[in-house]
Amino acid sequence: MGRILDQPYDVNLQVTAVLSKLSLLPHPHLHEYLLDPYISLAPGCRSLFSVIVRVVGDLMLRIHRIPEFTPKLLLVRKRLLGLEPEGINIDHVTLLEGVIVLEEFCKELAAIAFVKYHAAASSSP
């Protein structure tokens, strides 16, 4: 997950799919490790949240080096949706695809956490 900005699109989809499936499992330790941003860890250990924070920090540094970042990101998103042809060559496409996968994965994790929270709240006495 820490290399999401540098890995191929299909690898990122596979990694995030596995992490999403693990997040869905009703195991308290997996839930805590993958979905709790406030988990206490031993020095040197990383949680999914800490990895994502590090990736976003790296992304914020890289964005400044990419001219026309937002329009390029929009174009890559449209390409992935099949709304734009593949004809135009875009630089930094791996990074831009990684940003899109990261964004969608974060939304998916938020939805999983939301559903698990409400499921736990409704089953409590």
Side-chain angles (χ1 to χ4, degrees):
M1 187 68 203
R3 299 190 58 220
I4 196 167
L5 301 176
D6 301 308
Q7 295 174 150
Y9 181 70
D10 58 336
V11 172
N12 288 337
L13 290 179
Q14 292 172 0
V15 168
T16 56
V18 168
L19 288 170
S20 292
K21 287 185 189 321
L22 286 172
S23 298
L24 287 168
L25 292 173
H27 191 282
H29 297 301
L30 278 175
H31 174 86
E32 183 178 35
Y33 181 72
L34 294 173
L35 298 173
D36 183 358
Y38 302 112
I39 184 174
S40 296
L41 297 170
C45 293
R46 299 182 309 190
S47 67
L48 181 57
F49 178 76
S50 68
V51 171
I52 291 173
V53 166
R54 188 173 51 82
V55 168
V56 169
D58 182 31
L59 174 62
M60 298 311 289
L61 294 174
R62 292 188 193 194
I63 283 175
H64 299 293
R65 289 182 255 155
I66 301 174
E68 301 293 320
F69 176 80
T70 302
K72 287 179 183 176
L73 185 63
L74 183 59
L75 182 59
V76 170
R77 182 180 295 279
K78 285 181 178 179
R79 275 191 185 175
L80 291 173
L81 292 170
L83 302 174
E84 287 287 329
E86 294 285 329
I88 304 168
N89 190 22
I90 302 173
D91 55 338
H92 307 286
V93 71
T94 300
L95 174 91
L96 295 166
E97 289 173 342
V99 170
I100 292 165
V101 173
L102 178 63
E103 179 185 3
E104 296 301 322
F105 178 61
C106 288
K107 287 190 251 182
E108 188 168 353
L109 281 180
I112 291 168
F114 180 82
V115 169
K116 285 180 112 177
Y117 172 79
H118 286 287
S122 66
S123 66
S124 298

